[in-house]
Amino acid sequence: MNAQNFTLPKIVSRDAWLTAREALLATEKELTKQRDKVNAARRTLPMVEIGKDYTFEGPKGKVKLADLFEGRHQLIVYHFMFEPGDPPPGKTEPYTEGCSGCSFMADNIGHLSHFHARDTTITLISRAPLSKIAPFKNRMGWTIPWYSSFGSDFNYDFHVTADPKVAPVEYNFQDEATLKKKEENYHLEGEQPGVSVFLRDDEGRIFHTYSTFGRGMDPLVGTYQFLDLTPYGRGEGWGGMPDLDGIGYFWAKHHDKYGEEEETKESCCASQAAKS
């Protein structure tokens, strides 16, 4: 752990601390009210009917998008980065195992019963085949439903697979030209992280209601929200935090790899989240 250059908060009396805490509380309440307004606006966002007949591969064979709802009215999809092909030279993640950043997100998904109690199903979708997904899911100990979208247009239509030979490249509602204006060497290729939300009405029609990418997924990571309560924060070296490991955003590993001695590498989806 490396926090030598980090200045700890100053030491004050309990009364002085309480004065400062009350001032911060007022700011926190403003943020809570603003978040409530944003959430209300999100709930009334117009929706688009899904006309395409997507097919996925699940543990019990081929299924349609409607099947992923499991009889409920709402569906949240986390687009989990897991490549279907063999790794190029010198690169393993997310080819031989799921992306460590996406795995960090999956670890932060709550008990499924709480979603089901609100008429909502949550699932993971990747382009990797089930032959890759199943053993990795078992290794991670997850019970979240996980489907393969390989062979369908699903990932391309929802802009979480970047391949200009198949579809125009877009991420976080910006085309590649716009992204390159912000960062000259910006390059998008392969799988990307994201969240998409769908609604099924009583007539069986399916609608796309919302998608978010990059730091739009930040509030969904409970570990981040807890760490943000601490003086060190996330320990990523930005916003006044110390960089605890010298690798900034890229500290998250598969939960069974902490403590291992291995070469530092960028989490494949954390790098996009940091930019977006």
Side-chain angles (χ1 to χ4, degrees), residues 68-195:
L68 273 54
F69 285 78
E70 298 179 346
R72 302 179 183 92
H73 285 93
Q74 299 188 132
L75 173 67
I76 301 172
V77 171
Y78 180 70
H79 302 283
F80 193 111
M81 295 173 65
F82 207 163
E83 294 273 2
D86 295 327
K91 189 173 177 68
T92 58
E93 189 180 315
Y95 293 84
T96 57
E97 57 186 352
C99 165
S100 56
C102 290
S103 298
F104 183 53
M105 172 68 82
D107 281 336
N108 279 270
I109 294 174
H111 198 285
L112 300 183
S113 64
H114 302 304
F115 293 97
H116 299 169
R118 297 293 86 192
D119 198 18
T120 302
T121 298
I122 187 165
T123 189
L124 312 177
I125 294 181
S126 304
R127 286 182 65 240
L130 284 187
S131 59
K132 284 188 177 184
I133 290 173
F136 183 70
K137 179 183 177 183
N138 183 63
R139 169 187 151 191
M140 293 288 101
W142 295 328
T143 59
I144 311 162
W146 197 348
Y147 298 90
S148 171
S149 61
F150 185 74
S152 81
D153 295 332
F154 185 77
N155 278 47
Y156 302 101
D157 290 349
F158 291 92
H159 306 291
V160 288
T161 297
D163 185 347
K165 297 190 296 294
V166 178
V169 172
E170 177 186 307
Y171 191 65
N172 208 8
F173 309 102
Q174 300 169 93
D175 61 21
E176 192 167 31
T178 301
L179 293 166
K180 285 185 175 180
K181 285 180 182 177
K182 295 181 177 181
E183 184 179 335
E184 184 177 352
N185 295 322
Y186 193 96
H187 178 65
L188 212 58
E189 182 179 1
E191 310 309 297
Q192 310 301 323
V195 174

